Amino acid sequence: MIFYNQNDYAHLPYPSAGFPEENIRDAGCGVCSASMVVENMTGQPFSVEESAAFALASGARDNDGTDMEKLAPAL
């Protein structure tokens, strides 16, 4: 089983309008979860970096973290 720990991604920016300096460690539990679900269910790679970019591009990043009601349908 593939597992990603958001604490390993302090180097990966994950900004929001209210928190432009945040990173995956600070607010990326939804991003890491999305990567794990996709990779474990499909067997296809979907890195935390890809997941973060996807969340940002789909408008799922908000000031509380990741809006899973936006991210899940986009995935």
Side-chain angles (χ1 to χ4, degrees), residues 14-45:
Y14 193 50
S16 69
F19 301 96
E21 299 301 319
E22 281 197 329
N23 55 51
I24 293 298
R25 182 192 64 207
D26 298 331
C29 57
V31 165
C32 289
S33 296
S35 288
M36 290 185 284
V37 167
V38 170
E39 289 193 6
N40 285 302
M41 289 185 71
T42 68
Q44 299 298 311

Side-chain angles (χ1 to χ4, degrees), residues 4 31 34-36 38-39 44-48 50-52 54 75:
Y4 293 112
V31 165
S35 288
M36 290 185 284
V38 170
E39 289 193 6
Q44 299 298 311
F46 192 59
S47 69
V48 173
E50 290 174 294
S51 186
F54 187 84
L75 282 174

Side-chain angles (χ1 to χ4, degrees), residues 5-13 21-26:
N5 184 332
Q6 77 185 76
N7 290 318
D8 295 335
Y9 293 90
H11 65 279
L12 186 59
E21 299 301 319
E22 281 197 329
N23 55 51
I24 293 298
R25 182 192 64 207
D26 298 331

Side-chain angles (χ1 to χ4, degrees), residues 47-71:
S47 69
V48 173
E49 291 83 0
E50 290 174 294
S51 186
F54 187 84
L56 290 167
S58 64
R61 175 65 166 114
D62 63 21
N63 286 329
D64 294 323
T66 305
D67 184 340
M68 295 306 286
E69 290 183 4
K70 290 184 180 177
L71 184 60

